[in-house]
Amino acid sequence: MRGSGAVAINNGGGGGSHGTITGATWIITGPNNKPALAFASGRSVSLGSVTTNVNVTVTAWIQTSNAGQQPAFSNRGSGLYLGTTGGKFFTFYNNSSSQSMVSVATVNDNKWHHVAWTSDGITQRMYVDGKIDSSSAQTRSSADTGAGYIGYDAPNGEYFAGNIAQVGVYTQTLSQNDIQRQYAAGLDPVTLAL
């Protein structure tokens, strides 16, 4: 994630617009010595229209001590909610069987954690800090497009309380090795990097 003022820069190779920041503030203590944004109630980044393909990966670095349900990324008007609940990594996908997943690992210890969710329309997987945490069968047969946000979920009016960096939405299902390398190196995502 990089940018300044009210703009989060899209570093992605897949196009897309820059994010518009509302209220969130830049901090210099992000993971791997990269900038991040601090979020709280009323603070978000609007991404415009975001599509989650059948083959998809969404990644983010998050830092929080909040135990409530809160979104790190959402285009849940028709697609994905990725965030935390009960101090665990949590995902919910509207148009699918086996809609939700909750991690075994706890992520609300106020440390930076790399979280990733992948789906190929048959199996969904969660990764925490480069390691596979959970997997389950999932049926999805089409891409979903909706208004995308970082730190905010429009259908529920929920906000993230904490810091978020390097959000990535990929048009492919990354492998476990890809995710481990991203965690270890702190790489910027290649499709939508904010």
Side-chain angles (χ1 to χ4, degrees):
M1 182 185 292
R2 65 183 178 90
S4 62
V7 177
I9 303 299
N10 179 350
N11 292 328
S17 61
H18 300 315
T20 302
I21 299 169
T22 301
T25 56
W26 290 102
I27 61 171
I28 58 171
T29 55
N32 304 303
N33 297 315
K34 295 185 179 181
L37 284 171
F39 291 84
S41 182
R43 300 178 180 184
S44 64
V45 177
S46 174
L47 305 173
S49 182
V50 176
T51 298
T52 46
N53 291 347
V54 173
N55 289 297
V56 63
T57 302
V58 180
T59 65
W61 285 91
I62 61 172
Q63 181 186 40
T64 187
S65 58
N66 191 301
Q69 183 166 307
Q70 54 181 358
F73 166 84
S74 174
N75 74 331
R76 198 174 62 84
S78 62
L80 176 67
Y81 179 112
L82 180 147
T84 65
T85 190
K88 310 280 188 175
F89 177 34
F90 169 72
T91 61
F92 180 89
Y93 205 102
N94 279 356
N95 299 324
S96 69
S97 67
S98 185
Q99 292 179 319
S100 63
M101 290 185 77
V102 178
S103 70
V104 174
T106 299
V107 295
N108 70 329
D109 57 2
N110 209 33
K111 297 178 182 176
W112 282 105
H113 292 283
H114 184 266
V115 294
W117 174 83
T118 68
S119 177
D120 59 8
I122 298 169
T123 304
Q124 59 179 338
R125 294 179 175 87
M126 297 182 115
Y127 299 84
V128 177
D129 295 335
K131 298 176 184 174
I132 191 157
D133 180 278
S134 305
S135 66
S136 70
Q138 182 190 58
T139 303
R140 289 189 309 108
S141 59
S142 64
D144 291 295
T145 301
Y149 295 93
I150 297 173
Y152 175 62
D153 176 61
N156 283 340
E158 295 172 347
Y159 291 91
F160 192 84
N163 304 318
I164 303 173
Q166 300 177 41
V167 175
V169 179
Y170 297 81
T171 58
Q172 61 190 10
T173 305
L174 296 184
S175 71
Q176 183 171 356
N177 286 340
D178 293 333
I179 291 168
Q180 286 173 338
R181 282 193 297 271
Q182 189 180 100
Y183 166 69
L187 298 176
D188 286 328
V190 296
T191 301
L192 177 64
L194 302 169

Coordinates of all heavy atoms in Angstrom, one line a residue, residues 95-190:
N95 N -22.8 -15.5 -2.6 CA -23.4 -16.4 -3.7 C -22.6 -17.7 -3.7 O -21.9 -18.0 -4.7 CB -23.3 -15.7 -5.0 CG -24.2 -14.5 -5.0 OD1 -25.2 -14.4 -4.4 ND2 -23.8 -13.4 -5.7
S96 N -22.7 -18.5 -2.7 CA -21.9 -19.8 -2.7 C -22.6 -20.7 -1.6 O -23.3 -20.3 -0.7 CB -20.5 -19.6 -2.3 OG -20.3 -19.2 -0.9
S97 N -22.3 -22.0 -1.8 CA -22.5 -22.9 -0.7 C -21.4 -22.8 0.3 O -20.3 -22.3 -0.1 CB -22.6 -24.4 -1.3 OG -21.3 -24.8 -1.7
S98 N -21.5 -23.3 1.5 CA -20.5 -23.2 2.5 C -20.0 -21.7 2.5 O -18.9 -21.4 2.2 CB -19.3 -24.1 2.2 OG -18.4 -24.1 3.3
Q99 N -20.9 -20.8 2.9 CA -20.7 -19.4 2.7 C -19.6 -18.8 3.6 O -18.9 -17.9 3.2 CB -22.0 -18.6 3.0 CG -23.0 -18.8 1.9 CD -24.3 -18.0 2.1 OE1 -24.7 -18.0 3.3 NE2 -24.8 -17.5 1.1
S100 N -19.4 -19.3 4.9 CA -18.5 -18.7 5.8 C -17.4 -19.7 6.2 O -17.6 -20.9 6.2 CB -19.3 -18.2 7.0 OG -19.9 -19.2 7.7
M101 N -16.3 -19.1 6.6 CA -15.2 -19.8 7.2 C -14.6 -18.9 8.4 O -14.6 -17.7 8.3 CB -14.0 -20.0 6.2 CG -14.3 -21.0 5.1 SD -12.8 -21.2 4.1 CE -11.9 -22.3 5.2
V102 N -14.2 -19.6 9.4 CA -13.5 -18.9 10.6 C -12.2 -19.7 10.8 O -12.2 -20.9 10.9 CB -14.4 -18.9 11.8 CG1 -13.7 -18.3 13.0 CG2 -15.7 -18.3 11.5
S103 N -11.1 -18.9 11.0 CA -9.8 -19.5 11.2 C -9.7 -20.2 12.6 O -10.4 -19.9 13.5 CB -8.7 -18.5 11.1 OG -8.7 -17.6 12.2
V104 N -8.8 -21.1 12.7 CA -8.4 -21.6 14.0 C -7.5 -20.6 14.7 O -7.6 -20.4 15.9 CB -7.6 -23.0 13.8 CG1 -7.0 -23.5 15.1 CG2 -8.5 -24.0 13.1
A105 N -6.6 -20.0 14.0 CA -5.7 -19.0 14.5 C -6.4 -17.7 15.0 O -7.3 -17.3 14.4 CB -4.6 -18.6 13.5
T106 N -5.9 -17.1 16.1 CA -6.4 -15.9 16.6 C -5.5 -14.8 15.9 O -4.3 -14.9 15.8 CB -6.2 -15.8 18.1 OG1 -7.0 -16.9 18.6 CG2 -6.7 -14.5 18.6
V107 N -6.2 -13.7 15.5 CA -5.5 -12.6 14.8 C -5.7 -11.2 15.5 O -5.3 -10.2 14.9 CB -5.8 -12.5 13.3 CG1 -5.4 -13.8 12.6 CG2 -7.3 -12.3 13.1
N108 N -6.3 -11.2 16.7 CA -6.6 -9.9 17.3 C -5.6 -9.6 18.5 O -6.0 -9.1 19.5 CB -8.0 -9.8 17.8 CG -8.4 -10.7 18.9 OD1 -7.8 -11.8 19.1 ND2 -9.3 -10.3 19.8
D109 N -4.4 -9.9 18.3 CA -3.4 -9.7 19.4 C -2.6 -8.4 19.2 O -1.5 -8.2 19.8 CB -2.4 -10.9 19.4 CG -1.7 -11.2 18.1 OD1 -1.9 -10.4 17.1 OD2 -1.0 -12.2 18.0
N110 N -3.1 -7.5 18.3 CA -2.4 -6.3 18.0 C -1.1 -6.4 17.3 O -0.3 -5.5 17.3 CB -2.3 -5.4 19.2 CG -2.4 -3.9 18.9 OD1 -3.1 -3.5 17.9 ND2 -1.7 -3.1 19.6
K111 N -0.8 -7.5 16.7 CA 0.4 -7.8 15.9 C -0.1 -7.8 14.4 O -1.2 -8.1 14.1 CB 1.1 -9.1 16.2 CG 1.6 -9.1 17.7 CD 2.2 -10.4 18.0 CE 2.7 -10.5 19.4 NZ 3.2 -11.8 19.8
W112 N 0.9 -7.5 13.5 CA 0.5 -7.6 12.1 C 0.4 -9.1 11.7 O 1.2 -9.9 12.0 CB 1.6 -7.0 11.2 CG 1.5 -5.5 11.2 CD1 2.3 -4.6 11.8 CD2 0.6 -4.7 10.5 NE1 1.9 -3.3 11.6 CE2 0.8 -3.4 10.7 CE3 -0.5 -5.1 9.6 CZ2 0.1 -2.3 10.1 CZ3 -1.2 -4.0 9.0 CH2 -0.9 -2.7 9.3
H113 N -0.7 -9.4 11.0 CA -0.9 -10.8 10.4 C -1.2 -10.7 9.0 O -2.0 -9.8 8.5 CB -2.0 -11.5 11.2 CG -1.7 -11.8 12.6 ND1 -0.9 -12.8 12.9 CD2 -2.1 -11.2 13.7 CE1 -0.8 -12.9 14.3 NE2 -1.5 -11.9 14.8
H114 N -0.6 -11.6 8.2 CA -1.0 -11.7 6.8 C -2.1 -12.7 6.7 O -2.0 -13.8 7.1 CB 0.2 -12.2 6.0 CG 0.0 -12.2 4.5 ND1 -0.4 -13.4 3.9 CD2 0.1 -11.2 3.6 CE1 -0.5 -13.1 2.6 NE2 -0.2 -11.8 2.4
V115 N -3.2 -12.3 6.1 CA -4.4 -13.2 5.9 C -4.6 -13.3 4.4 O -4.5 -12.4 3.6 CB -5.6 -12.7 6.6 CG1 -5.4 -12.8 8.2 CG2 -6.1 -11.3 6.2
A116 N -5.0 -14.5 4.0 CA -5.3 -14.8 2.6 C -6.5 -15.8 2.5 O -6.6 -16.7 3.3 CB -4.1 -15.3 1.9
W117 N -7.3 -15.6 1.5 CA -8.4 -16.5 1.2 C -8.4 -16.8 -0.3 O -8.2 -15.9 -1.1 CB -9.8 -15.8 1.6 CG -11.0 -16.6 1.2 CD1 -11.5 -17.7 1.9 CD2 -11.8 -16.5 0.0 NE1 -12.7 -18.1 1.2 CE2 -12.8 -17.4 0.1 CE3 -11.7 -15.6 -1.1 CZ2 -13.8 -17.5 -0.9 CZ3 -12.7 -15.7 -2.1 CH2 -13.7 -16.6 -2.0
T118 N -8.5 -18.1 -0.6 CA -8.5 -18.5 -2.0 C -9.7 -19.4 -2.3 O -10.2 -20.0 -1.4 CB -7.3 -19.3 -2.4 OG1 -7.3 -20.6 -1.7 CG2 -6.0 -18.6 -2.1
S119 N -10.2 -19.3 -3.5 CA -11.3 -20.2 -4.0 C -11.1 -20.5 -5.5 O -10.7 -19.6 -6.2 CB -12.6 -19.6 -3.7 OG -13.7 -20.4 -4.2
D120 N -11.4 -21.7 -5.8 CA -11.4 -22.1 -7.2 C -12.8 -22.5 -7.7 O -13.0 -23.1 -8.7 CB -10.4 -23.2 -7.6 CG -10.7 -24.5 -6.7 OD1 -11.8 -24.6 -6.1 OD2 -9.9 -25.4 -6.8
G121 N -13.8 -22.1 -6.8 CA -15.2 -22.5 -7.1 C -15.6 -23.9 -6.6 O -16.8 -24.3 -6.6
I122 N -14.6 -24.6 -6.1 CA -14.8 -26.0 -5.6 C -14.3 -26.1 -4.2 O -15.0 -26.7 -3.3 CB -14.1 -27.0 -6.5 CG1 -14.6 -27.0 -7.9 CG2 -14.2 -28.4 -5.9 CD1 -13.8 -27.8 -8.9
T123 N -13.2 -25.5 -3.9 CA -12.6 -25.5 -2.5 C -12.1 -24.1 -2.1 O -11.5 -23.4 -3.0 CB -11.3 -26.5 -2.5 OG1 -11.7 -27.8 -2.9 CG2 -10.8 -26.6 -1.1
Q124 N -12.4 -23.7 -0.9 CA -12.0 -22.5 -0.4 C -10.9 -22.8 0.7 O -11.1 -23.8 1.5 CB -13.1 -21.6 0.2 CG -13.9 -22.2 1.3 CD -15.0 -21.3 1.8 OE1 -14.9 -20.1 1.6 NE2 -16.0 -21.9 2.4
R125 N -9.9 -21.9 0.8 CA -8.8 -22.1 1.8 C -8.5 -20.8 2.5 O -8.6 -19.7 1.8 CB -7.6 -22.6 1.1 CG -7.7 -24.0 0.6 CD -6.5 -24.5 -0.1 NE -6.6 -25.9 -0.6 CZ -7.1 -26.3 -1.7 NH1 -7.5 -25.4 -2.6 NH2 -7.2 -27.6 -2.0
M126 N -8.2 -20.8 3.7 CA -7.7 -19.7 4.5 C -6.2 -19.9 4.9 O -5.9 -21.0 5.3 CB -8.5 -19.5 5.8 CG -9.9 -19.3 5.7 SD -10.6 -19.1 7.4 CE -11.1 -17.4 7.3
Y127 N -5.5 -18.8 4.8 CA -4.1 -18.8 5.2 C -3.9 -17.7 6.3 O -4.4 -16.6 6.1 CB -3.2 -18.6 4.1 CG -3.3 -19.6 3.0 CD1 -4.3 -19.5 2.0 CD2 -2.4 -20.7 2.9 CE1 -4.4 -20.5 1.0 CE2 -2.5 -21.7 1.9 CZ -3.5 -21.5 0.9 OH -3.6 -22.5 0.0
V128 N -3.1 -18.0 7.3 CA -2.7 -17.0 8.3 C -1.2 -17.0 8.4 O -0.6 -18.1 8.7 CB -3.4 -17.2 9.6 CG1 -2.9 -16.2 10.7 CG2 -4.9 -17.2 9.5
D129 N -0.6 -15.9 8.2 CA 0.9 -15.8 8.2 C 1.6 -16.8 7.4 O 2.5 -17.5 7.8 CB 1.3 -15.8 9.7 CG 0.8 -14.6 10.5 OD1 0.6 -13.6 9.9 OD2 0.7 -14.7 11.7
G130 N 1.1 -17.0 6.2 CA 1.7 -17.9 5.2 C 1.4 -19.3 5.3 O 1.9 -20.1 4.5
K131 N 0.7 -19.7 6.4 CA 0.4 -21.2 6.6 C -1.1 -21.4 6.4 O -1.9 -20.6 6.8 CB 0.8 -21.6 8.0 CG 2.2 -21.4 8.3 CD 2.5 -21.7 9.7 CE 4.0 -21.5 10.0 NZ 4.3 -21.6 11.5
I132 N -1.4 -22.6 5.8 CA -2.8 -22.9 5.6 C -3.4 -23.1 7.0 O -2.9 -23.8 7.8 CB -3.0 -24.1 4.7 CG1 -4.5 -24.3 4.3 CG2 -2.4 -25.4 5.3 CD1 -4.8 -25.0 3.1
D133 N -4.6 -22.5 7.2 CA -5.3 -22.6 8.5 C -6.5 -23.5 8.4 O -6.7 -24.3 9.2 CB -5.7 -21.2 8.9 CG -6.5 -21.2 10.2 OD1 -7.7 -21.5 10.2 OD2 -5.8 -21.0 11.3
S134 N -7.3 -23.4 7.3 CA -8.5 -24.1 7.1 C -8.9 -24.3 5.7 O -8.4 -23.5 4.8 CB -9.7 -23.4 7.8 OG -9.4 -23.1 9.2
S135 N -9.7 -25.3 5.4 CA -10.2 -25.4 4.0 C -11.6 -26.1 4.1 O -11.9 -26.8 5.1 CB -9.3 -26.2 3.1 OG -9.2 -27.5 3.6
S136 N -12.4 -25.9 3.1 CA -13.7 -26.5 3.0 C -14.2 -26.5 1.6 O -13.7 -25.7 0.8 CB -14.7 -25.9 3.9 OG -15.1 -24.6 3.4
A137 N -15.1 -27.4 1.3 CA -15.8 -27.4 0.0 C -16.6 -26.2 -0.2 O -17.1 -25.6 0.8 CB -16.6 -28.7 -0.2
Q138 N -16.6 -25.7 -1.4 CA -17.4 -24.5 -1.7 C -17.9 -24.6 -3.1 O -17.1 -24.9 -4.0 CB -16.6 -23.2 -1.5 CG -17.5 -21.9 -1.7 CD -16.6 -20.7 -1.7 OE1 -15.7 -20.6 -2.5 NE2 -16.9 -19.7 -0.9
T139 N -19.1 -24.2 -3.4 CA -19.6 -24.2 -4.8 C -19.9 -22.8 -5.2 O -20.8 -22.1 -4.6 CB -20.9 -25.1 -4.9 OG1 -20.6 -26.4 -4.5 CG2 -21.3 -25.1 -6.4
R140 N -19.2 -22.3 -6.2 CA -19.4 -21.0 -6.8 C -19.2 -21.2 -8.3 O -18.2 -21.8 -8.7 CB -18.4 -19.9 -6.3 CG -18.7 -19.5 -4.9 CD -17.8 -18.3 -4.5 NE -16.4 -18.4 -4.8 CZ -15.8 -17.8 -5.8 NH1 -16.4 -16.9 -6.6 NH2 -14.5 -18.0 -6.0
S141 N -20.1 -20.7 -9.1 CA -20.0 -20.9 -10.6 C -19.9 -19.7 -11.4 O -19.8 -19.8 -12.6 CB -21.2 -21.7 -11.1 OG -22.4 -21.0 -10.8
S142 N -19.9 -18.5 -10.8 CA -19.7 -17.3 -11.6 C -19.0 -16.2 -10.8 O -18.9 -16.3 -9.6 CB -21.1 -16.8 -12.0 OG -21.9 -16.4 -10.8
A143 N -18.5 -15.3 -11.6 CA -17.8 -14.1 -10.9 C -18.9 -13.2 -10.3 O -20.0 -13.2 -10.8 CB -17.0 -13.3 -12.0
D144 N -18.5 -12.4 -9.3 CA -19.4 -11.5 -8.7 C -18.8 -10.1 -8.7 O -17.6 -10.0 -8.3 CB -19.8 -11.9 -7.3 CG -20.6 -13.2 -7.3 OD1 -21.8 -13.1 -7.8 OD2 -20.2 -14.2 -6.8
T145 N -19.6 -9.1 -9.0 CA -19.1 -7.7 -9.0 C -19.9 -6.9 -8.1 O -21.1 -6.9 -8.1 CB -19.1 -7.2 -10.4 OG1 -18.3 -8.0 -11.3 CG2 -18.6 -5.7 -10.5
G146 N -19.2 -6.1 -7.3 CA -19.9 -5.2 -6.4 C -19.0 -4.0 -6.0 O -17.8 -4.0 -6.3
A147 N -19.6 -3.1 -5.3 CA -18.8 -1.9 -4.8 C -17.8 -2.4 -3.8 O -18.2 -3.1 -2.8 CB -19.7 -0.9 -4.2
G148 N -16.5 -2.2 -4.0 CA -15.5 -2.7 -3.1 C -15.0 -1.6 -2.1 O -14.9 -0.4 -2.5
Y149 N -14.7 -2.1 -0.9 CA -14.2 -1.2 0.1 C -13.1 -1.9 0.9 O -13.1 -3.1 1.1 CB -15.3 -0.9 1.1 CG -16.4 0.0 0.5 CD1 -17.6 -0.7 0.0 CD2 -16.4 1.3 0.5 CE1 -18.6 0.1 -0.5 CE2 -17.4 2.1 -0.1 CZ -18.5 1.5 -0.6 OH -19.5 2.2 -1.1
I150 N -12.2 -1.1 1.4 CA -11.2 -1.6 2.5 C -11.7 -0.9 3.8 O -11.9 0.3 3.8 CB -9.8 -1.2 2.1 CG1 -9.4 -1.8 0.8 CG2 -8.8 -1.5 3.2 CD1 -8.0 -1.4 0.3
G151 N -11.8 -1.8 4.8 CA -12.2 -1.3 6.1 C -13.6 -1.0 6.3 O -14.0 -0.4 7.4
Y152 N -14.5 -1.3 5.4 CA -15.9 -1.0 5.5 C -16.7 -2.1 4.8 O -16.3 -2.5 3.7 CB -16.2 0.4 4.9 CG -17.6 0.8 4.8 CD1 -18.4 0.9 6.0 CD2 -18.2 1.0 3.6 CE1 -19.7 1.3 5.9 CE2 -19.6 1.4 3.5 CZ -20.3 1.6 4.7 OH -21.6 1.9 4.6
D153 N -17.9 -2.4 5.3 CA -18.9 -3.3 4.7 C -20.2 -2.6 4.6 O -20.8 -2.3 5.6 CB -19.0 -4.6 5.5 CG -20.1 -5.5 4.9 OD1 -19.9 -6.0 3.8 OD2 -21.1 -5.8 5.6
A154 N -20.6 -2.2 3.4 CA -21.8 -1.4 3.2 C -23.1 -2.1 3.6 O -23.9 -1.4 4.3 CB -21.9 -1.0 1.7
P155 N -23.3 -3.4 3.3 CA -24.6 -4.0 3.7 C -24.8 -3.9 5.2 O -26.0 -3.7 5.6 CB -24.5 -5.4 3.2 CG -23.6 -5.3 2.0 CD -22.6 -4.3 2.4
N156 N -23.8 -4.1 6.0 CA -24.0 -4.1 7.5 C -23.6 -2.8 8.1 O -23.7 -2.6 9.3 CB -23.2 -5.2 8.1 CG -23.8 -6.6 7.9 OD1 -25.0 -6.6 7.7 ND2 -23.1 -7.6 8.1
G157 N -22.9 -1.8 7.4 CA -22.5 -0.6 8.0 C -21.4 -0.8 9.0 O -21.2 0.0 9.9
E158 N -20.5 -1.9 8.8 CA -19.5 -2.2 9.7 C -18.1 -1.6 9.3 O -17.9 -1.5 8.1 CB -19.3 -3.7 9.8 CG -20.5 -4.4 10.4 CD -20.4 -5.9 10.4 OE1 -19.5 -6.4 9.7 OE2 -21.2 -6.6 11.0
Y159 N -17.3 -1.2 10.2 CA -16.0 -0.6 10.0 C -14.9 -1.5 10.7 O -15.2 -2.1 11.7 CB -15.9 0.8 10.5 CG -16.7 1.8 9.7 CD1 -18.1 2.1 10.0 CD2 -16.2 2.4 8.6 CE1 -18.8 2.9 9.3 CE2 -17.0 3.3 7.8 CZ -18.3 3.6 8.2 OH -19.0 4.4 7.4
F160 N -13.7 -1.4 10.2 CA -12.6 -2.1 10.8 C -11.9 -1.2 11.8 O -11.8 0.0 11.6 CB -11.5 -2.4 9.7 CG -10.4 -3.3 10.2 CD1 -10.6 -4.7 10.1 CD2 -9.2 -2.8 10.6 CE1 -9.6 -5.6 10.5 CE2 -8.2 -3.7 11.0 CZ -8.4 -5.1 11.0
A161 N -11.6 -1.7 13.0 CA -10.9 -1.0 14.0 C -9.4 -1.5 14.1 O -9.2 -2.6 14.7 CB -11.6 -1.2 15.4
G162 N -8.5 -0.8 13.5 CA -7.1 -1.2 13.5 C -6.5 -0.7 12.2 O -6.9 0.2 11.6
N163 N -5.4 -1.4 11.8 CA -4.6 -1.0 10.6 C -4.7 -2.1 9.5 O -4.7 -3.3 9.8 CB -3.2 -0.8 11.1 CG -3.1 0.2 12.2 OD1 -3.8 1.3 12.2 ND2 -2.3 0.0 13.2
I164 N -4.6 -1.6 8.3 CA -4.7 -2.5 7.1 C -3.6 -2.1 6.1 O -3.4 -0.9 5.9 CB -6.0 -2.5 6.5 CG1 -7.1 -2.9 7.5 CG2 -6.1 -3.5 5.3 CD1 -8.6 -2.8 6.9
A165 N -2.9 -3.0 5.5 CA -1.9 -2.7 4.5 C -2.0 -3.8 3.4 O -2.4 -4.9 3.6 CB -0.5 -2.7 5.1
Q166 N -1.5 -3.4 2.2 CA -1.3 -4.3 1.1 C -2.5 -5.2 0.8 O -2.3 -6.4 0.7 CB 0.0 -5.1 1.3 CG 1.2 -4.2 1.5 CD 2.5 -5.0 1.8 OE1 2.7 -6.0 1.2 NE2 3.3 -4.4 2.7
V167 N -3.6 -4.7 0.5 CA -4.8 -5.5 0.1 C -4.6 -5.9 -1.3 O -4.2 -5.1 -2.1 CB -6.1 -4.7 0.3 CG1 -7.3 -5.5 -0.2 CG2 -6.3 -4.4 1.8
G168 N -4.8 -7.2 -1.6 CA -4.7 -7.6 -3.0 C -5.9 -8.5 -3.4 O -6.3 -9.3 -2.6
V169 N -6.5 -8.2 -4.6 CA -7.5 -9.0 -5.1 C -6.9 -9.6 -6.4 O -6.6 -8.8 -7.4 CB -8.8 -8.2 -5.4 CG1 -9.9 -9.1 -6.0 CG2 -9.3 -7.6 -4.1
Y170 N -6.8 -10.9 -6.5 CA -6.2 -11.6 -7.6 C -7.2 -12.3 -8.5 O -8.2 -12.9 -8.0 CB -5.2 -12.6 -7.2 CG -4.0 -12.1 -6.4 CD1 -4.2 -11.7 -5.0 CD2 -2.8 -11.9 -7.0 CE1 -3.1 -11.2 -4.3 CE2 -1.7 -11.3 -6.3 CZ -1.9 -11.0 -4.9 OH -0.8 -10.5 -4.2
T171 N -7.0 -12.3 -9.8 CA -7.9 -13.0 -10.7 C -7.5 -14.5 -10.9 O -7.7 -15.1 -12.0 CB -7.9 -12.3 -12.1 OG1 -6.6 -12.2 -12.6 CG2 -8.5 -10.9 -11.9
Q172 N -6.8 -15.0 -9.9 CA -6.4 -16.4 -10.0 C -6.3 -17.0 -8.5 O -6.3 -16.2 -7.6 CB -5.0 -16.6 -10.6 CG -3.9 -15.8 -9.9 CD -2.7 -15.7 -10.7 OE1 -2.6 -16.1 -11.9 NE2 -1.6 -15.3 -10.1
T173 N -6.3 -18.3 -8.4 CA -6.2 -18.9 -7.1 C -4.7 -19.1 -6.9 O -4.0 -20.0 -7.5 CB -6.9 -20.3 -7.1 OG1 -8.3 -20.1 -7.5 CG2 -6.9 -20.9 -5.7
L174 N -4.1 -18.3 -6.0 CA -2.7 -18.5 -5.7 C -2.4 -19.8 -5.0 O -3.2 -20.3 -4.2 CB -2.2 -17.3 -4.8 CG -2.3 -15.9 -5.4 CD1 -1.6 -14.9 -4.5 CD2 -1.6 -15.8 -6.8
S175 N -1.2 -20.3 -5.2 CA -0.8 -21.6 -4.5 C -0.4 -21.3 -3.1 O -0.1 -20.1 -2.7 CB 0.3 -22.2 -5.3 OG 1.5 -21.5 -5.2
Q176 N -0.2 -22.3 -2.3 CA 0.3 -22.1 -0.9 C 1.7 -21.6 -1.0 O 2.0 -20.7 -0.2 CB 0.3 -23.5 -0.2 CG 0.7 -23.4 1.2 CD 0.5 -24.6 2.0 OE1 0.0 -25.6 1.5 NE2 0.9 -24.6 3.3
N177 N 2.5 -22.0 -2.0 CA 3.9 -21.5 -2.1 C 3.8 -20.0 -2.4 O 4.7 -19.2 -1.9 CB 4.7 -22.2 -3.2 CG 5.1 -23.6 -2.7 OD1 5.1 -23.9 -1.5 ND2 5.4 -24.5 -3.6
D178 N 2.9 -19.5 -3.3 CA 2.8 -18.1 -3.6 C 2.5 -17.3 -2.4 O 3.1 -16.2 -2.1 CB 1.7 -17.9 -4.6 CG 2.0 -18.5 -6.0 OD1 3.1 -18.6 -6.4 OD2 1.0 -18.8 -6.7
I179 N 1.6 -17.8 -1.6 CA 1.2 -17.1 -0.4 C 2.3 -17.1 0.7 O 2.5 -16.0 1.3 CB -0.2 -17.7 0.2 CG1 -1.3 -17.3 -0.8 CG2 -0.5 -17.1 1.6 CD1 -2.6 -18.1 -0.6
Q180 N 3.0 -18.2 0.8 CA 4.1 -18.2 1.7 C 5.2 -17.2 1.3 O 5.8 -16.5 2.2 CB 4.7 -19.6 1.8 CG 3.9 -20.6 2.5 CD 4.4 -22.0 2.4 OE1 5.1 -22.4 1.5 NE2 4.0 -22.9 3.4
R181 N 5.5 -17.1 0.0 CA 6.5 -16.2 -0.5 C 6.0 -14.7 -0.2 O 6.8 -13.9 0.2 CB 6.7 -16.4 -1.9 CG 7.7 -17.6 -2.2 CD 8.2 -17.6 -3.7 NE 7.1 -17.7 -4.6 CZ 6.6 -18.9 -5.1 NH1 7.2 -20.0 -4.7 NH2 5.7 -18.9 -6.0
Q182 N 4.7 -14.5 -0.4 CA 4.2 -13.1 -0.2 C 4.3 -12.7 1.3 O 4.7 -11.6 1.6 CB 2.7 -13.0 -0.6 CG 2.2 -11.6 -0.6 CD 0.8 -11.5 -1.1 OE1 -0.1 -11.4 -0.2 NE2 0.5 -11.6 -2.4
Y183 N 4.0 -13.7 2.1 CA 4.1 -13.4 3.6 C 5.6 -13.2 4.0 O 5.9 -12.2 4.6 CB 3.5 -14.6 4.4 CG 3.9 -14.5 5.8 CD1 3.4 -13.6 6.7 CD2 4.8 -15.5 6.4 CE1 3.8 -13.5 8.0 CE2 5.2 -15.4 7.7 CZ 4.7 -14.4 8.5 OH 5.0 -14.4 9.8
A184 N 6.5 -14.0 3.5 CA 7.9 -14.0 3.9 C 8.5 -12.7 3.4 O 9.4 -12.1 4.1 CB 8.6 -15.2 3.4
A185 N 8.2 -12.3 2.2 CA 8.9 -11.2 1.5 C 8.1 -9.8 1.7 O 8.7 -8.8 1.4 CB 9.1 -11.5 0.1
G186 N 6.9 -9.9 2.1 CA 6.1 -8.7 2.2 C 5.8 -8.1 0.8 O 5.8 -6.9 0.6
L187 N 5.6 -9.0 -0.2 CA 5.4 -8.5 -1.6 C 4.1 -7.7 -1.7 O 3.1 -8.1 -1.2 CB 5.5 -9.7 -2.5 CG 6.7 -10.5 -2.6 CD1 6.6 -11.7 -3.5 CD2 7.9 -9.6 -3.1
D188 N 4.1 -6.7 -2.6 CA 2.9 -6.0 -3.0 C 2.1 -6.9 -3.9 O 2.7 -7.5 -4.8 CB 3.2 -4.7 -3.7 CG 3.7 -3.6 -2.8 OD1 3.3 -3.6 -1.6 OD2 4.5 -2.8 -3.2
P189 N 0.8 -7.0 -3.7 CA 0.0 -7.8 -4.6 C 0.1 -7.3 -6.0 O 0.4 -6.1 -6.2 CB -1.4 -7.6 -4.0 CG -1.2 -7.3 -2.6 CD 0.1 -6.5 -2.6
V190 N -0.2 -8.1 -7.0 CA -0.1 -7.8 -8.4 C -1.3 -7.4 -9.1 O -1.3 -6.9 -10.2 CB 0.6 -8.9 -9.2 CG1 2.0 -9.2 -8.6 CG2 -0.2 -10.2 -9.1

